[in-house]
C-alpha cells in the first residue's frame, strides 16, 4: 500500500526539483524528506532518486510514480471537497495568503467576518508576494491567495486555478510637498524622468511593473531607494528623497509632507482571489471568497486618495 504522505513528498520533489525546495514547500527538514523517500523506495522496490551533481533528479521510475502521485493528490483534494460540500458546513481550516497592501486593506475585515459567521472555521493567513502565493496554492501550501496584476502587465496564472475579481485599485504618484508638480490636479509619469524614484524591492512583481511602465514612457528611472512597506516609502518621500507610485488600497495615513496626485493616464491594479479548481466545492473556500468580496466592497473601487495639494 502506497503511503499518501510519501507520495506528497515525491510530488513536492518533482515540483521543486530539489530536496531543499521540497523541504521548504512541505515545511519539514531535508532529513525528513530524505527519510520519506528512502521508505518510499523500499515500498516500491525501485530507485526513485539518482544523484545529479550536488543535487538529485528523479529516475524514470521516480518520474512515473510522481505523475501518478500528482493525480492521486488531486483526487484526494476532490474527495475532501466533496465531503465538505456534502456536509455543507464551513468547518476545518483554510489557509489564506495575500500581498502586503491586500493583507492590510482586506484581511482584517475578511478574517473578522469569517470568525463571526463561521466560528468553527480556523483561518491562518500569511503575507506573500503574488507569484509566490500562486506557487503555494498550486502545491497545496495555501488554500486561497489574494493576488494582483496591472492593466498593462498581467500576472501569469497557470491552469487549474479558479479566480474571483475583488476590486480595481487606482494608485497615485507620491511626492514631497515642495515638489514643483505637487500643486497639480493630474500628472504624467514622464514628467518625473529627472526625479529619483523610491521603488519596491528588485525581483518583486510590482518592481518589474514599475520598470516596464516607466521605460515605456521613454526614460530609464533612477531607482535611488527600495522599500517593501508603503509606509516606509512615504517616509522617504517626506524626507525629500524621491517620488513613488503608491496604491490606495489599505492606505490609512499619509505624512504631512507628502502630496498625492492622480496620474492622467489612469493606471489600475486588478486584485483577485485564486484557488485550486479541485477545491472549488469546499464550503470553506466559498465562504472565504465571499468574505473577501464583502471586504473589497467596503474598501470600494475608489478609496480616498489621501492628502493632495
Amino acid at each position: 500500500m502506497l503511503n499518501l504522505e510519501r507520495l506528497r513528498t515525491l510530488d513536492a520533489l518533482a515540483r521543486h526539483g530539489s530536496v531543499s525546495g521540497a523541504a521548504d514547500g512541505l515545511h519539514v527538514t531535508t532529513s525528513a524528506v530524505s527519510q520519506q523517500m528512502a521508505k518510499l523506495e523500499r515500498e516500491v522496490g525501485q530507485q526513485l532518486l539518482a544523484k545529479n551533481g550536488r543535487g538529485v533528479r528523479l529516475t524514470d521510475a521516480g518520474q512515473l510514480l510522481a505523475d501518478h502521485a500528482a493525480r492521486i493528490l488531486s483526487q484526494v483534494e476532490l474527495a475532501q471537497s466533496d465531503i465538505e460540500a456534502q456536509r455543507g458546513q464551513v468547518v476545518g481550516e483554510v489557509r489564506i495568503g495575500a500581498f502586503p497592501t491586500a493583507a492590510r486593506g482586506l484581511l482584517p475585515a475578511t478574517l473578522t467576518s469569517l470568525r463571526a459567521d463561521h466560528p468553527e472555521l480556523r483561518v491562518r493567513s500569511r503575507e506573500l508576494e503574488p507569484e509566490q502565493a500562486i506557487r503555494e496554492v498550486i502545491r497545496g501550501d495555501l488554500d486561497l491567495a489574494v493576488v494582483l496584476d496591472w492593466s498593462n502587465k498581467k500576472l501569469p496564472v497557470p491552469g487549474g486555478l479558479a479566480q474571483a475579481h475583488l476590486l480595481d485599485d487606482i494608485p497615485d504618484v507620491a511626492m514631497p510637498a515642495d515638489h514643483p508638480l505637487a500643486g497639480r490636479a493630474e500628472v504624467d509619469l514622464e514628467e518625473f524622468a529627472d526625479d529619483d524614484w523610491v521603488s519596491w524591492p528588485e525581483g518583486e512583481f510590482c518592481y518589474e511593473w514599475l520598470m516596464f511602465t516607466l521605460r515605456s514612457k521613454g526614460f530609464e528611472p533612477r531607482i535611488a531607494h527600495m522599500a517593501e512597506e508603503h509606509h516606509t516609502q512615504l517616509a522617504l518621500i517626506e524626507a525629500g528623497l524621491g517620488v513613488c507610485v503608491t496604491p490606495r488600497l489599505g492606505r490609512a495615513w499619509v505624512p504631512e509632507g507628502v502630496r498625492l496626485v492622480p496620474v492622467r493616464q489612469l493606471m489600475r491594479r486588478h486584485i483577485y482571489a485564486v484557488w485550486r479548481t479541485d477545491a472549488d466545492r469546499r464550503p470553506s473556500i466559498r465562504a472565504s471568497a465571499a468574505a473577501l468580496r464583502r471586504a473589497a466592497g467596503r474598501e470600494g473601487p475608489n478609496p480616498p486618495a489621501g492628502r493632495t495639494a
Side-chain angles (χ1 to χ4, degrees), residues 28-39:
V28 299
T29 65
T30 55
S31 175
V33 170
S34 297
Q35 290 174 17
Q36 288 283 60
M37 290 305 302
K39 291 177 180 178

Side-chain angles (χ1 to χ4, degrees), residues 53-269:
R54 294 184 178 180
V56 296
R57 62 172 178 82
L58 294 179
T59 64
D60 290 344
Q63 187 59 61
L64 177 65
L65 186 56
D67 292 341
H68 283 290
R71 291 191 291 271
I72 290 168
L73 294 171
S74 179
Q75 285 299 121
V76 170
E77 182 71 51
L78 282 170
Q80 291 173 334
S81 297
D82 285 344
I83 289 295
E84 281 192 33
Q86 195 275 337
R87 185 169 49 186
Q89 297 177 333
V90 182
V91 296
E93 179 179 89
V94 65
R95 299 157 298 174
I96 301 175
F99 63 94
T101 50
R104 183 168 62 249
L106 296 178
L107 285 192
T110 299
L111 302 182
T112 300
S113 172
L114 287 172
R115 183 171 60 183
D117 295 342
H118 308 290
E120 294 187 41
L121 177 67
R122 184 170 62 256
V123 184
R124 295 164 55 194
S125 67
R126 297 168 55 200
E127 272 193 12
L128 289 171
E129 286 302 308
E131 291 170 314
Q132 182 183 357
I134 283 179
R135 288 195 296 270
E136 296 212 8
V137 170
I138 290 171
R139 68 189 183 218
D141 294 332
L142 284 178
D143 297 302
L144 182 148
V146 182
V147 299
L148 69 95
D149 59 23
W150 293 82
S151 50
N152 63 336
K153 189 174 178 64
K154 300 301 182 183
L155 178 71
V157 177
L161 295 183
Q163 301 182 32
H165 178 263
L166 299 177
L167 77 154
D168 287 344
D169 186 28
I170 302 173
D172 303 298
V173 177
M175 64 197 78
D178 60 358
H179 192 282
L181 302 179
R184 294 269 294 276
E186 292 181 322
V187 291
D188 294 313
L189 290 176
E190 51 265 38
E191 295 181 271
F192 300 94
D194 294 328
D195 285 272
D196 287 339
W197 282 81
V198 178
S199 167
W200 296 272
E202 190 171 357
E204 291 188 6
F205 181 72
C206 285
Y207 169 86
E208 301 297 336
W209 166 83
L210 181 67
M211 299 301 290
F212 170 82
T213 300
L214 298 182
R215 285 167 179 164
S216 73
K217 300 297 180 181
F219 68 96
E220 183 66 26
R222 295 198 309 268
I223 305 297
H225 307 285
M226 294 182 178
E228 181 79 40
E229 285 291 331
H230 290 108
H231 288 166
T232 305
Q233 293 180 7
L234 292 178
L236 293 169
I237 302 304
E238 185 181 33
L241 298 172
V243 300
C244 75
V245 172
T246 186
R248 297 181 185 181
L249 175 64
R251 183 188 295 167
W253 173 80
V254 180
E256 188 66 37
V258 173
R259 296 295 180 265
L260 303 171
V261 182
V263 179
R264 183 173 289 108
Q265 300 92 1
L266 193 62
M267 303 181 295
R268 291 184 184 273
R269 300 197 310 172

